[in-house]
CSV table of all heavy atoms in Angstrom, one decimal:
chain,number,residue,atom,x,y,z
A,171,ALA,N,82.0,58.4,4.4
A,171,ALA,CA,82.0,59.8,4.5
A,171,ALA,C,82.5,60.4,3.2
A,171,ALA,O,82.5,61.6,3.0
A,171,ALA,CB,83.0,60.1,5.7
A,172,PHE,N,83.2,59.6,2.3
A,172,PHE,CA,83.7,60.1,1.0
A,172,PHE,C,82.6,60.0,0.0
A,172,PHE,O,82.6,59.4,-0.9
A,172,PHE,CB,84.9,59.3,0.6
A,172,PHE,CG,85.8,59.9,-0.4
A,172,PHE,CD1,86.4,61.1,-0.2
A,172,PHE,CD2,85.9,59.4,-1.7
A,172,PHE,CE1,87.3,61.7,-1.1
A,172,PHE,CE2,86.8,60.0,-2.7
A,172,PHE,CZ,87.4,61.1,-2.3
A,173,THR,N,81.6,61.1,0.3
A,173,THR,CA,80.5,61.1,-0.6
A,173,THR,C,80.8,61.8,-1.9
A,173,THR,O,81.9,62.2,-2.1
A,173,THR,CB,79.4,62.1,0.1
A,173,THR,OG1,80.0,63.4,0.1
A,173,THR,CG2,78.9,61.6,1.5
A,174,ALA,N,79.9,61.7,-2.9
A,174,ALA,CA,80.1,62.3,-4.2
A,174,ALA,C,80.6,63.6,-4.1
A,174,ALA,O,81.5,64.2,-4.8
A,174,ALA,CB,79.0,62.1,-5.0
A,175,GLU,N,79.9,64.5,-3.2
A,175,GLU,CA,80.2,65.9,-3.1
A,175,GLU,C,81.6,66.1,-2.5
A,175,GLU,O,82.4,67.0,-3.1
A,175,GLU,CB,79.2,66.6,-2.2
A,175,GLU,CG,77.8,66.7,-2.9
A,175,GLU,CD,77.0,65.4,-2.8
A,175,GLU,OE1,77.5,64.5,-2.1
A,175,GLU,OE2,76.0,65.4,-3.5
A,176,VAL,N,82.0,65.2,-1.5
A,176,VAL,CA,83.3,65.4,-1.0
A,176,VAL,C,84.3,65.0,-2.0
A,176,VAL,O,85.4,65.6,-2.2
A,176,VAL,CB,83.4,64.4,0.3
A,176,VAL,CG1,84.9,64.4,0.8
A,176,VAL,CG2,82.5,65.0,1.4
A,177,GLN,N,84.0,63.9,-2.7
A,177,GLN,CA,84.9,63.5,-3.8
A,177,GLN,C,85.2,64.6,-4.8
A,177,GLN,O,86.2,64.9,-5.3
A,177,GLN,CB,84.4,62.2,-4.6
A,177,GLN,CG,85.3,61.7,-5.5
A,177,GLN,CD,84.8,60.5,-6.4
A,177,GLN,OE1,83.8,59.9,-6.0
A,177,GLN,NE2,85.5,60.2,-7.4
A,178,ALA,N,84.1,65.3,-5.2
A,178,ALA,CA,84.2,66.3,-6.2
A,178,ALA,C,85.0,67.4,-5.7
A,178,ALA,O,85.9,68.0,-6.4
A,178,ALA,CB,82.7,66.9,-6.5
A,179,ALA,N,85.0,67.8,-4.4
A,179,ALA,CA,85.7,68.9,-3.8
A,179,ALA,C,87.2,68.5,-3.9
A,179,ALA,O,88.1,69.3,-4.2
A,179,ALA,CB,85.2,69.3,-2.5
A,180,PHE,N,87.4,67.3,-3.3
A,180,PHE,CA,88.8,66.8,-3.2
A,180,PHE,C,89.4,66.7,-4.6
A,180,PHE,O,90.6,67.2,-4.8
A,180,PHE,CB,88.8,65.3,-2.6
A,180,PHE,CG,90.1,64.8,-2.2
A,180,PHE,CD1,90.8,65.5,-1.2
A,180,PHE,CD2,90.7,63.8,-2.9
A,180,PHE,CE1,92.0,65.0,-0.8
A,180,PHE,CE2,91.9,63.2,-2.5
A,180,PHE,CZ,92.5,63.9,-1.5
A,181,GLN,N,88.7,66.2,-5.6
A,181,GLN,CA,89.3,66.1,-6.9
A,181,GLN,C,89.5,67.5,-7.6
A,181,GLN,O,90.5,67.6,-8.4
A,181,GLN,CB,88.6,65.2,-7.8
A,181,GLN,CG,88.5,63.7,-7.3
A,181,GLN,CD,88.1,62.7,-8.5
A,181,GLN,OE1,87.7,61.6,-8.2
A,181,GLN,NE2,88.1,63.1,-9.7
A,182,LYS,N,88.7,68.4,-7.3
A,182,LYS,CA,88.8,69.7,-7.8
A,182,LYS,C,90.0,70.3,-7.2
A,182,LYS,O,91.0,70.9,-8.0
A,182,LYS,CB,87.6,70.6,-7.4
A,182,LYS,CG,87.8,72.1,-7.9
A,182,LYS,CD,86.5,72.9,-7.6
A,182,LYS,CE,86.7,74.4,-7.8
A,182,LYS,NZ,85.6,75.1,-7.5
A,183,PHE,N,90.3,70.2,-6.0
A,183,PHE,CA,91.5,70.7,-5.3
A,183,PHE,C,92.6,70.0,-5.9
A,183,PHE,O,93.6,70.9,-6.4
A,183,PHE,CB,91.5,70.4,-3.7
A,183,PHE,CG,92.8,70.8,-3.0
A,183,PHE,CD1,93.2,72.0,-2.9
A,183,PHE,CD2,93.6,69.7,-2.6
A,183,PHE,CE1,94.4,72.4,-2.3
A,183,PHE,CE2,94.9,70.0,-2.1
A,183,PHE,CZ,95.2,71.3,-1.9
A,184,LEU,N,92.8,68.8,-6.1
A,184,LEU,CA,93.9,68.1,-6.6
A,184,LEU,C,94.1,68.5,-8.1
A,184,LEU,O,95.2,68.8,-8.6
A,184,LEU,CB,93.8,66.5,-6.7
A,184,LEU,CG,93.8,65.9,-5.3
A,184,LEU,CD1,93.7,64.4,-5.4
A,184,LEU,CD2,95.3,66.3,-4.6
A,185,ALA,N,93.0,68.7,-8.8
A,185,ALA,CA,93.1,69.2,-10.2
A,185,ALA,C,93.9,70.6,-10.4
A,185,ALA,O,94.6,70.8,-11.3
A,185,ALA,CB,91.7,69.3,-10.9
A,186,VAL,N,93.4,71.4,-9.4
A,186,VAL,CA,94.1,72.7,-9.4
A,186,VAL,C,95.5,72.7,-9.1
A,186,VAL,O,96.4,73.4,-9.7
A,186,VAL,CB,93.4,73.8,-8.4
A,186,VAL,CG1,94.0,75.2,-8.6
A,186,VAL,CG2,91.9,73.9,-8.7
Side-chain angles (χ1 to χ4, degrees):
Chain A
F172 199 61
T173 62
E175 290 77 11
V176 169
Q177 183 184 346
F180 190 69
Q181 290 197 204
K182 177 176 169 179
F183 172 71
L184 289 182
V186 183

